[in-house]
Amino acid sequence: MVPMQTIGLVRSPYTETAHIPRGPGAQHDAEGVLDILPEFEEGLTDIEGFSHLFVLWIFDRAAGYELLVTPPTATRPHGVFATRAPRRPNPIGLTVVQVLRREGPRLHVRGIDMLDGSPILDLKPYLSSVPADQLKRGWLAEAQAHR
Amino acid sequence: MVPMQTIGLVRSPYTETAHIPRGPGAQHDAEGVLDILPEFEEGLTDIEGFSHLFVLWIFDRAAGYELLVTPPTATRPHGVFATRAPRRPNPIGLTVVQVLRREGPRLHVRGIDMLDGSPILDLKPYLSSVPADQLKRGWLAEAQAHR
């Protein structure tokens, strides 16, 4: 398999998983910094023109995985690929953040839901979205109806 | 770094990069199959309740990377993290697909933009979107204005 390398670290107000807002309707307004390693800074050229980015990062404090999981928001077990649970076969997290400003290799963003120090693998522009009327939210809609 | 493992392969009509529609306004209506390995099938439980999924996959035919790239749609070089170019420090692709149906470990989807045989790393439910009026599209909007 392709070896993955850290391109930077997340600077987050969250140092414990329990502090991160979770579940349907959770607001991710936390601000933080995507601290990109100097050797990758050139790759950020023009990134501040995008309002939102995808951040691919590693759940580095998750160990192992289960194929059936019951997230905090769920009423019964679901397949791990139908959830955002951290203990996945490849522990990659995906977060959409809003770009606030860039200071050289440091991107200040809003919408942090990672633990402080999480390794970053990639950044990509967030370009488009699926119209709301075409979106189905699977077991999450069902779980919310039970709340 | 965390070792990554293939959880399945993309079955795509595209066998050459040149055949994949690219650029602003490119329509990705191609249908294909996410062929998940049998040992991970249980992880798909309830996934058919979601209309759209994120697919994380490997640009396995991309070699090396450049920090400044000029995509086909661009008028000048941009930082690789401000593009979707395949030659990235970590060659991970991210595609949103629409779920058509599931047959055991085979997920039939629409919206394929990967080459046939691309290794899959992860699937995640696509849950929400950034409202269109809050989205800025950076250099892509500028490149489109020049066409």
Side-chain angles (χ1 to χ4, degrees):
Chain A
M1 281 300 305
V2 177
M4 297 287 163
Q5 58 185 319
T6 298
I7 63 157
L9 296 177
V10 178
R11 306 302 178 192
S12 162
Y14 303 121
T15 53
E16 293 182 39
T17 304
H19 296 163
I20 303 176
R22 300 215 173 268
Q27 291 293 310
H28 292 295
D29 292 332
E31 295 186 12
V33 174
L34 308 179
D35 208 349
I36 304 302
L37 295 169
E39 59 262 43
F40 295 110
E41 179 179 346
E42 194 175 36
L44 299 177
T45 305
D46 296 335
I47 207 164
E48 54 271 45
F50 294 89
S51 59
H52 295 78
L53 300 176
F54 287 115
V55 185
L56 277 67
W57 51 281
I58 296 282
F59 290 106
D60 63 327
R61 273 145 282 186
Y65 68 88
E66 291 174 309
L67 292 177
L68 284 178
V69 296
T70 305
T73 49
T75 53
R76 57 186 176 79
H78 302 287
V80 68
F81 301 125
T83 77
R84 298 269 186 153
R87 298 180 59 237
R88 333 178 54 83
N90 294 301
I92 305 177
L94 177 65
T95 301
V96 176
V97 297
Q98 182 186 357
V99 179
L100 299 176
R101 67 186 186 281
R102 177 179 156 206
E103 292 169 358
R106 294 168 56 85
L107 270 177
H108 293 258
V109 300
R110 178 178 292 131
I112 290 283
D113 66 353
M114 310 83 147
L115 287 173
D116 188 51
S118 297
I120 301 170
L121 291 180
D122 202 4
L123 305 175
K124 296 178 190 291
Y126 181 101
L127 292 182
S128 61
S129 55
V130 176
D133 63 356
Q134 292 173 28
L135 197 64
K136 285 195 297 176
R137 299 172 63 253
W139 65 266
L140 263 172
E142 175 194 322
Q144 281 179 277
H146 280 81
R147 289 164 79 89
Chain B
M1 280 304 303
V2 177
M4 298 288 162
Q5 59 187 317
T6 298
I7 65 158
L9 296 177
V10 177
R11 306 301 179 191
S12 162
Y14 302 121
T15 53
E16 293 182 39
T17 304
H19 296 164
I20 303 175
R22 301 219 172 265
Q27 291 293 310
H28 292 294
D29 292 333
E31 296 186 11
V33 174
L34 308 180
D35 209 350
I36 304 302
L37 295 169
E39 59 263 42
F40 295 110
E41 179 178 347
E42 195 175 35
L44 298 176
T45 305
D46 297 335
I47 206 163
E48 55 270 43
F50 294 90
S51 59
H52 295 76
L53 300 176
F54 287 116
V55 185
L56 277 65
W57 51 281
I58 297 282
F59 289 105
D60 64 327
R61 273 147 279 186
Y65 68 89
E66 291 174 309
L67 291 177
L68 284 177
V69 295
T70 306
T73 50
T75 52
R76 55 187 177 81
H78 302 286
V80 68
F81 302 125
T83 76
R84 299 270 185 152
R87 299 180 57 237
R88 332 178 56 82
N90 294 301
I92 305 177
L94 177 64
T95 301
V96 176
V97 297
Q98 181 186 358
V99 179
L100 299 176
R101 66 186 187 279
R102 177 179 157 206
E103 292 169 358
R106 294 168 56 84
L107 271 178
H108 293 257
V109 300
R110 178 179 291 133
I112 290 284
D113 65 354
M114 310 83 149
L115 287 174
D116 188 52
S118 296
I120 301 169
L121 289 180
D122 202 4
L123 305 175
K124 298 178 188 292
Y126 182 101
L127 292 181
S128 60
S129 54
V130 175
D133 63 355
Q134 292 174 28
L135 196 63
K136 285 195 297 177
R137 301 174 61 253
W139 65 266
L140 262 172
E142 175 194 322
Q144 281 179 278
H146 280 81
R147 288 163 79 88

